[in-house]
Amino acid sequence: MKKLIVLIVICVSIVACKNEKETIVNETIKVEEKIDDKIAYTSIGMKINDADALTANSMMTHYKDLKVGDTINSKMTAKIVEVCSSKGCWMKLDLDGENEVMVKFKDYGFFMPLDAKGEVIVNGKAFLTETPVDELKHYAEDAGKSKAEIDAITEPKLEYRFEADGVLLKTE
């Protein structure tokens, strides 16, 4: 009889703990999605807010001062130009109408929705890098470029890069 009572108490405890965890997870998701009362965002990656984000044009000014290997911690807002069509593992943002920044996600900890478009706020590290030919070809494949376009890539390229630890995707 004692064994039966102990077994029932253990089962009830496990079920009670399981329901409590689910409630906490659901509450966390709701908080992350409602960042600002004026603008609705979907939060991806680390939880960030929209305060103190630089405009894309202001960020371009900072990029012009960088040398290969330099990094700056920053937060910026920009418009999505392209998202990796394979799995959302990178995106390109417009800086000033002529220049773009390639954004990857810290430790591949999260990805963008494949159909993401519009404005985003990214938080993380900005830097300048020289991208090798094989990596440029890989990105072209991910973007769905033709074989002729991929084969035309023959030289490394200096690129503006950003490693994001958190993203706010503006919802429409």
Side-chain angles (χ1 to χ4, degrees):
M1 184 70 173
K2 287 182 183 180
K3 289 181 182 181
L4 182 60
I5 292 173
V6 170
L7 182 62
I8 291 172
V9 169
I10 291 173
C11 290
V12 169
S13 297
I14 291 172
V15 171
C17 290
K18 183 177 179 183
N19 288 339
E20 187 176 321
K21 272 188 178 178
E22 289 176 9
T23 302
I24 291 169
V25 169
N26 290 337
E27 288 173 7
T28 302
I29 291 169
K30 288 178 187 173
V31 170
E32 287 181 358
E33 289 178 356
K34 189 174 181 182
I35 302 292
D36 190 318
D37 290 335
K38 297 176 186 172
I39 302 173
Y41 293 102
T42 300
S43 180
I44 305 168
M46 184 178 87
K47 184 179 175 184
I48 63 171
N49 60 42
D50 60 353
D52 302 324
L54 297 173
T55 64
N57 283 329
S58 295
M59 192 65 211
M60 187 62 214
T61 304
H62 291 290
Y63 271 117
K64 287 181 179 180
D65 293 335
L66 292 177
K67 296 178 185 92
V68 173
D70 292 348
T71 62
I72 54 172
N73 292 324
S74 60
K75 185 190 305 183
M76 74 170 175
T77 181
K79 185 174 181 180
I80 298 173
V81 174
E82 184 178 10
V83 175
C84 171
S85 62
S86 175
K87 57 183 171 181
C89 56
W90 55 263
M91 67 179 162
K92 290 185 180 178
L93 304 178
D94 180 39
L95 287 173
D96 62 2
E98 295 178 19
N99 294 290
E100 296 177 346
V101 59
M102 166 73 85
V103 179
K104 288 186 171 182
F105 310 107
K106 186 173 182 177
D107 301 326
Y108 283 96
F110 58 95
F111 299 107
M112 291 298 292
L114 298 180
D115 61 349
K117 58 185 175 185
E119 290 185 25
V120 293
I121 296 174
V122 293
N123 185 77
K125 293 182 180 185
F127 58 99
L128 182 67
T129 188
E130 184 173 78
T131 307
V133 172
D134 59 333
E135 193 172 334
L136 291 170
K137 287 185 176 192
H138 175 78
Y139 294 140
E141 288 174 11
D142 284 352
K145 303 286 183 185
S146 70
K147 181 163 175 33
E149 290 172 303
I150 294 168
D151 291 341
I153 301 170
T154 58
E155 295 183 20
K157 180 180 174 184
L158 276 179
E159 288 188 312
Y160 302 117
R161 291 288 187 98
F162 199 95
E163 181 184 70
D165 53 22
V167 177
L168 292 177
L169 175 61
K170 186 176 179 181
T171 55
E172 299 173 358

